[in-house]
Amino acid sequence: MAGRSVLRPRDIVDVPYIALDDTTVIRRIVDQELTAMGVQLDVAHEVSLGSAAYRLVQRGLGFTFADPVALDPELEPQVRLIDWEPRMEIEFGFFAPNRDSKPELTAAFESALRQVFAERCGTA
C-alpha cells in the first residue's frame, strides 16, 4: 500500500484496520463516511490515541486513518501518508484573545500553527 498515491475503500477491505476508539473525532468521521459509502471495516486493533495507532502502523500491523497534522514528527520517515478518496476533512480551530489586544506570544503561536498546518497539509 505504501507505494500508492491514493487509496479508496475497495483497496483496504482486506487490510488490518487500526482504529481509534469511538470517542475520537477521527473515528466518528471515518465511521460516518464509511457507512455512507456502504463500506464495513473489521477492526484489527483499537487504540485511544493517534500516536499509538501510528506506532502500530510503523510496526507493520495495519493501516489507520490519520490527519497529517497529528502525525508524530519522529515517525514521518517510517510511515507513509496516502491520500484517501473520497476526501474526509476535519476542521481545526483555536481560541485567541480579541484581535485588537492580541499579545505578541499569541500572534507568534498563531503564525507557528499556520506554518505547521501549511507544511503538513502540503500547502506551504
Side-chain angles (χ1 to χ4, degrees), residues 3-21:
R4 307 280 303 267
S5 61
V6 174
L7 290 173
R8 294 173 183 84
R10 68 178 177 273
D11 301 324
I12 60 169
V13 292
D14 295 325
V15 180
Y17 173 33
I18 302 165
L20 295 175
D21 71 39

Side-chain angles (χ1 to χ4, degrees), residues 33 68 83-89 121:
E33 294 292 327
D83 287 338
W84 174 257
E85 287 183 2
R87 188 168 179 85
M88 292 185 266
E89 294 184 358
C121 296

Side-chain angles (χ1 to χ4, degrees), residues 24-34 88-90:
T24 62
V25 173
I26 288 180
R27 173 68 180 273
R28 289 192 304 260
I29 290 171
V30 167
D31 285 353
Q32 288 171 357
E33 294 292 327
L34 291 176
M88 292 185 266
E89 294 184 358
I90 298 174

